[in-house]
């Protein structure tokens, strides 16, 4: 079911104590009267404590990544089953930093998506074009390919556990945001692309988040667009006041 979502991707930030402090602040500061799902994604080592900490709150915990295999000789990796076993039900997959720094291809992301869905997890599926793609006027093609190759093999019934996150790479951590109109234009294209393949009911029901330098001062305008259902927030998710202000803007 389409819903408003504000998710914080903490990336490689916050040790155990800092995680606890930020969670406590978020519990205090996140708006209680807003009809939206809030999500935080701390690092792997702090997920278990975050789940415990946030029990009985309306803040869900997501992992930032996972491996596609069930288990085995994959030194340093974490499986869906491990995440589920500590109460993590959501995972961010395909983030542009995973794609560019860790060589994740659409094919790998497709396999990770399958593994997460097999374990009944919710996937925040990230994708988005690079600056050169936009300069070349190739951004719609790139986005369509990422969707098709990473996600379009899934069964209809699994769409209820998919959240899309459009994150233009040129806007991530750069202070540069897509304009609200650019975000709306791409989100509408994404919904239309989903509709062509899976039909209008699935397309209407999928939540599409925008990510890339969302801040308290631009969140409201971006979130006001009809096809923008919320945000995936990086830098501003590390400060409780900023994240709470963005959450209130939904
Ligand atoms: P940013 O990151 O808000 O710091 O640009 C967004 C993201 O990477 O999800």
């Amino acid at each position: 079911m389409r819903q408003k979502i504000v998710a914080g991707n903490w990336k490689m930030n916050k040790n155990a104590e800092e995680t606890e402090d930020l969670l406590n602040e978020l519990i205090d500061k996140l708006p209680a009267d807003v009809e939206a799902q809030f999500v935080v994604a701390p690092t792997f080592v702090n997920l278990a404590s975050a789940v415990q900490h946030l029990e009985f709150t309306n803040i869900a915990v997501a992992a930032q990544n996972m491996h596609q295999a069930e288990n085995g000789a994959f030194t340093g990796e974490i499986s869906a089953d491990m995440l589920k076993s500590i109460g993590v039900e959501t995972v961010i997959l395909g983030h542009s930093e995973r794609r560019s720094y860790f060589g994740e291809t659409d094919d790998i992301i497709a396999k990770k998506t399958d593994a997460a869905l097999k374990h009944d997890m919710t996937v925040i599926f990230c994708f988005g074009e690079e600056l050169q793609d936009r300069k070349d006027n190739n951004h719609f093609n790139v986005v369509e390919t990422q969707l098709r190759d990473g996600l379009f093999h899934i069964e209809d019934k699994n769409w209820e556990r998919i959240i899309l996150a459009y994150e233009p790479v040129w806007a991530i951590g750069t202070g540069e945001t897509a304009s609200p109109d650019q975000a709306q234009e791409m989100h509408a294209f994404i919904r239309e692309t989903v509709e062509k393949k899976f039909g209008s009911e699935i397309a209407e029901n999928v939540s599409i988040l925008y990510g890339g330098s969302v801040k308290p001062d631009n969140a409201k305008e971006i979130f006001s667009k009809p096809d923008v259902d919320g945000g995936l927030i990086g830098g501003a998710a590390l400060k409780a006041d900023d994240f709470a202000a963005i959450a209130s803007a939904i």
Side-chain angles (χ1 to χ4, degrees):
M1 193 61 205
R2 188 158 160 191
Q3 57 174 342
K4 303 276 184 199
I5 299 164
V6 180
N9 173 11
W10 293 10
K11 308 191 181 182
M12 198 173 74
N13 293 292
K14 307 286 179 191
N15 64 24
E17 199 183 326
E18 291 161 350
T19 296
E20 207 165 295
D21 288 347
L22 181 52
L23 292 176
N24 282 335
E25 273 195 272
L26 289 175
I27 291 169
D28 277 353
K29 291 180 177 172
L30 278 174
D33 53 347
V34 169
E35 240 182 72
Q37 171 72 60
F38 303 128
V39 182
V40 291
T43 59
F44 279 130
V45 291
N46 295 311
L47 287 173
S49 66
V51 168
Q52 281 174 12
H53 217 90
L54 296 174
E55 209 183 350
F56 311 120
T57 71
N58 63 342
I59 312 170
V61 176
Q64 298 173 18
N65 178 33
M66 55 166 248
H67 195 268
Q68 61 271 32
E70 282 297 308
N71 53 39
F74 299 100
T75 302
E77 293 292 332
I78 308 279
S79 71
D81 176 57
M82 291 167 193
L83 293 173
K84 287 280 290 202
S85 73
I86 56 164
V88 175
E89 303 281 342
T90 303
V91 62
I92 298 172
L93 293 178
H95 191 278
S96 69
E97 287 149 19
R98 300 296 318 170
R99 292 174 188 262
S100 63
Y101 304 148
F102 302 98
E104 291 193 12
T105 59
D106 289 329
D107 183 49
I108 291 172
I109 296 158
K111 291 193 170 85
K112 290 186 176 201
T113 301
D114 289 339
L117 291 173
K118 183 171 166 215
H119 285 269
D120 292 329
M121 295 182 77
T122 293
V123 173
I124 301 179
F125 182 93
C126 303
F127 57 113
E129 82 283 359
E130 302 201 12
L131 185 58
Q132 196 57 44
D133 301 321
R134 194 163 269 268
K135 282 188 175 156
D136 294 344
N137 203 25
N138 198 30
H139 44 300
F140 292 112
N141 273 337
V142 168
V143 160
E144 192 175 355
T145 303
Q146 288 172 328
L147 270 178
R148 193 187 58 222
D149 294 355
L151 195 60
F152 274 13
H153 62 285
I154 68 169
E155 289 177 54
D156 288 13
K157 68 171 170 40
N158 283 326
W159 274 92
E160 64 190 42
R161 279 182 287 109
I162 297 289
I163 297 163
L164 299 177
Y166 167 60
E167 299 204 304
V169 179
W170 48 272
I172 295 177
T174 57
E176 183 124 358
T177 23
S179 70
D181 287 341
Q182 282 174 323
Q184 169 57 27
E185 182 186 37
M186 185 57 92
H187 282 223
F189 171 78
I190 291 163
R191 209 177 288 288
E192 197 184 296
T193 306
V194 173
E195 183 179 350
K196 275 192 202 142
K197 168 84 178 161
F198 292 95
S200 57
E201 196 179 332
I202 285 174
E204 273 311 309
N205 279 323
V206 68
S207 300
I208 310 178
L209 314 184
Y210 169 79
S213 298
V214 178
K215 307 284 179 214
D217 60 0
N218 60 21
K220 207 174 178 116
E221 221 192 325
I222 295 172
F223 293 165
S224 71
K225 294 296 176 185
D227 284 298
V228 177
D229 302 307
L232 180 56
I233 320 299
L238 298 173
K239 294 191 197 112
D241 286 327
D242 285 0
F243 192 66
I246 292 168
S248 301
I250 200 79

